[in-house]
Amino acid sequence: MFDAIGSFFGAILTPLYWITSLVLSGFHSVFGAIFGDASGASWALSIVGLTLVVRASLIPLFVKQIKSSRNMQLIQPRVRELQKKYKHDRERLAQEQMKLYKDTNTNPFSACLPLLLQMPIFLALFHLIDSAANGEKKGVLTQKQVDQLSSAELFGARIADTFLGASGDAATQVKLLAAVLVVAMTATTFLTQRQLMTKNMPADALTGQYAQQQKLLLYVLPLVFAVGGIAFPIGVLLYWTTSNLWTMGQQFYVIRNNPVPGTPAAKAKEDRDAAKRRKKGLPDEPAAGTTLTATETPAPPAPPRQQPKKQTREQRRKQGPPRAPRQAAPRRPGPSEQKNPD
């Protein structure tokens, strides 16, 4: 059974070994020409380059995740109504919630998709560096590159070493660098989730089951990385820390420029936009409910009333006396109103 599971994961990871090693080798050929093929800086920057390529390829998925996450936050009042209505019927509640998710094009698991899709790359890089530490090559890496990666040092610590496996004269440097990266990885994970909860979640979404899930991610996920990070090679820690920094910056940009309505981030954006308009001397935006649609245009102002042109006495004399108003003809009496001659 275990052999079958190992064969299954091996079949999945083998193509990823080739893709990961190909990107890593490509960046190393560039940075190696600058810092030297065997230097730790060239291999560290190659890992950073690999991270940027992976995260850039996930941007479309991130956009989809943002849209689904916004919908998930905005429909929380409706979800709570369903929970109250069907609190004694779990099956009907699940059906109604799934119908609501489908109608609003919301995926409740979208927040985990970027993380789940990165895990295979993460595991491939882990095995790639771990194998290099033992002199084994995977993917397109040559034996010379494997030996260079295995011995490459960054701040006196080998990139292939782990916090738990540190030994020898450089054990202190390895543990110190690994500890710094683990703390950075944990802190960026926590701050990214906290940024989302404090700035881009409406008040209605801060209570209920969805809020509990977000709090679970806020505290549990960094703890998982902190515990597991001590067993990761320094190169893998560098990959994950860079990925977290990318996520934090990407999320900051989205929250700042496209916040969820009714959140502190939306209020801050309104204040910034108002300040920019005042700085340019533009009027404030119209009040809510009076905003013109894209097809509407403001009505033109009424032309000023023109005063009659003044005339001289000679001009008035030439025009003659004013006409008398036309009088209506007298009404003829009807038959019933005519006097009887008798």
Side-chain angles (χ1 to χ4, degrees):
M1 178 178 177
F2 290 104
D3 293 339
I5 295 176
S7 300
F8 174 75
F9 281 103
I12 295 176
L13 290 177
T14 298
L16 293 177
Y17 290 145
W18 286 88
I19 296 173
T20 304
S21 61
L22 181 64
V23 177
L24 196 66
S25 177
F27 278 108
H28 179 258
S29 63
V30 175
F31 293 117
I34 300 174
F35 301 101
D37 291 338
S39 68
S42 63
W43 283 106
L45 291 174
S46 299
I47 293 173
V48 172
L50 170 66
T51 310
L52 299 182
V53 169
V54 172
R55 293 311 308 265
S57 65
L58 293 178
I59 287 179
L61 181 62
F62 177 78
V63 173
K64 185 177 180 180
Q65 173 204 354
I66 288 295
K67 292 180 179 179
S68 184
S69 179
R70 286 167 63 95
N71 291 343
M72 195 70 184
Q73 295 173 26
L74 295 175
I75 66 174
Q76 286 310 299
R78 298 170 64 182
V79 171
R80 284 195 292 272
E81 290 178 4
L82 292 177
Q83 291 172 346
K84 291 180 181 179
K85 186 176 181 180
Y86 302 106
K87 60 181 178 180
H88 299 300
D89 190 348
R90 295 282 183 179
E91 184 177 353
R92 181 65 184 278
L93 174 61
Q95 294 175 354
E96 293 296 328
Q97 283 183 335
M98 293 305 297
K99 183 176 182 300
L100 177 61
Y101 294 151
K102 184 178 180 180
D103 293 341
T104 57
N105 195 24
T106 303
N107 183 0
F109 305 106
S110 62
C112 301
L113 286 180
L115 177 64
L116 293 177
L117 290 181
Q118 280 193 90
M119 289 308 296
I121 299 293
F122 176 80
L123 292 175
L125 181 63
F126 176 86
H127 286 292
L128 199 69
I129 296 177
D130 187 61
S131 298
N134 297 320
E136 301 175 7
K137 67 175 185 176
K138 288 184 179 295
V140 301
L141 293 181
T142 63
Q143 189 61 49
K144 180 180 179 181
Q145 289 176 324
V146 168
D147 296 338
Q148 291 172 351
L149 178 59
S150 175
S151 59
E153 293 185 355
L154 185 65
F155 300 114
R158 290 201 316 160
I159 291 177
D161 283 342
T162 65
F163 183 92
L164 293 178
S167 60
D169 298 335
T172 302
Q173 290 90 328
V174 171
K175 290 185 177 181
L176 181 60
L177 182 57
V180 170
L181 290 175
V182 168
V183 171
M185 182 177 63
T186 305
T188 50
T189 303
F190 176 82
L191 292 175
T192 301
Q193 183 63 24
R194 188 175 182 274
Q195 180 187 53
L196 176 66
M197 294 185 64
T198 58
K199 294 184 178 296
N200 206 40
M201 286 182 64
D204 292 337
L206 294 175
T207 58
Q209 184 178 1
Y210 180 75
Q212 296 300 322
Q213 294 173 356
Q214 296 300 314
K215 290 180 181 178
L216 186 66
L217 292 175
L218 177 64
Y219 296 107
V220 174
L221 199 59
L223 184 62
V224 171
F225 284 123
V227 174
I230 59 177
F232 297 154
I234 288 177
V236 176
L237 293 176
L238 184 61
Y239 168 88
W240 206 255
T241 303
T242 306
S243 179
N244 283 355
L245 290 173
W246 174 290
T247 302
M248 181 183 294
Q250 190 172 243
Q251 182 173 273
F252 175 81
Y253 176 83
V254 171
I255 291 176
R256 180 178 175 84
N257 294 280
N258 192 23
V260 175
T263 60
K267 178 64 170 60
K269 186 176 186 301
E270 291 176 2
D271 294 341
R272 290 195 305 271
D273 292 343
K276 289 179 181 178
R277 287 193 299 272
R278 288 193 297 267
K279 188 176 181 180
K280 294 180 179 180
L282 300 176
D284 293 337
E285 288 185 346
T290 61
T291 305
L292 298 175
T293 62
T295 58
E296 292 177 342
T297 56
R305 184 176 179 182
Q306 295 182 354
Q307 297 293 333
K309 206 171 185 181
K310 290 185 178 182
Q311 296 179 340
T312 62
R313 183 180 299 176
E314 188 66 25
Q315 289 174 335
R316 289 196 298 269
R317 186 182 298 116
K318 288 182 180 180
Q319 291 178 355
R323 290 184 181 182
R326 184 178 179 182
Q327 296 182 353
R331 187 174 63 87
R332 298 179 61 183
S336 60
E337 296 177 346
Q338 293 179 357
K339 293 184 179 181
N340 192 348
D342 297 335

